[in-house]
């Protein structure tokens, strides 16, 4: 996974929340009810990220999928080696008797 794409997506998601939250906090009613401003900012940020951050999300997702595939490939190699070692030990034990 590219670190740049993950950092970019994270920063854009934070901005999608913080900018509407800052704007909402300028209104006097939201200064008293900051939790309501946070809820509205979260909904606005979610909507913005679904509309405009599709490509950075795809980049991060594909990077994570590639990383998982590499790890699965490494694990299968280890499994094959372990099976070969077990088979070799089993044949030695049968040959010793």
């Amino acid at each position: 996974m590219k670190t740049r794409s993950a950092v970019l997506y994270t920063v854009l998601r934070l901005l999608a929340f913080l900018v509407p939250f800052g704007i909402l906090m300028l209104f006097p009613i939201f200064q008293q009810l900051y939790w309501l401003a946070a809820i509205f900012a979260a909904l606005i940020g979610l909507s913005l990220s679904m509309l405009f951050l599709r490509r950075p999300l795809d980049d991060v997702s594909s990077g994570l999928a590639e990383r998982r595939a590499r790890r699965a490939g490494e694990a299968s190699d280890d499994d094959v080696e372990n099976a070969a070692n077990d088979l070799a030990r089993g044949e030695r034990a049968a040959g010793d008797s």
Side-chain angles (χ1 to χ4, degrees):
M1 175 177 68
K2 294 181 181 178
T3 306
R4 181 185 178 277
S5 62
V7 170
L8 176 67
Y9 180 69
T10 303
V11 168
L12 290 175
R13 283 292 306 257
L14 284 172
L15 285 175
F17 171 76
L18 292 175
V19 170
F21 183 72
I23 292 170
L24 288 173
M25 289 302 291
L26 294 176
F27 295 105
I29 188 70
F30 288 119
Q31 290 174 357
Q32 296 172 0
L33 301 172
Y34 62 90
W35 56 271
L36 191 59
I39 291 172
F40 284 151
L43 292 173
I44 293 168
L46 178 66
S47 300
L48 290 174
S49 66
M50 289 178 70
L51 291 173
F52 299 113
L53 299 182
R54 179 68 59 195
R55 185 172 178 198
L57 177 62
D58 289 341
D59 292 342
V60 171
S61 298
S62 64
L64 287 173
E66 290 172 5
R67 183 177 174 191
R68 179 174 285 193
R70 275 187 275 143
R71 282 192 178 177
E74 291 171 3
S76 66
D77 289 343
D78 292 339
D79 292 339
V80 170
E81 290 174 6
N82 290 339
N85 288 337
D86 291 342
L87 182 62
R89 286 188 199 123
E91 288 179 8
R92 275 191 242 143
D96 291 339
S97 328

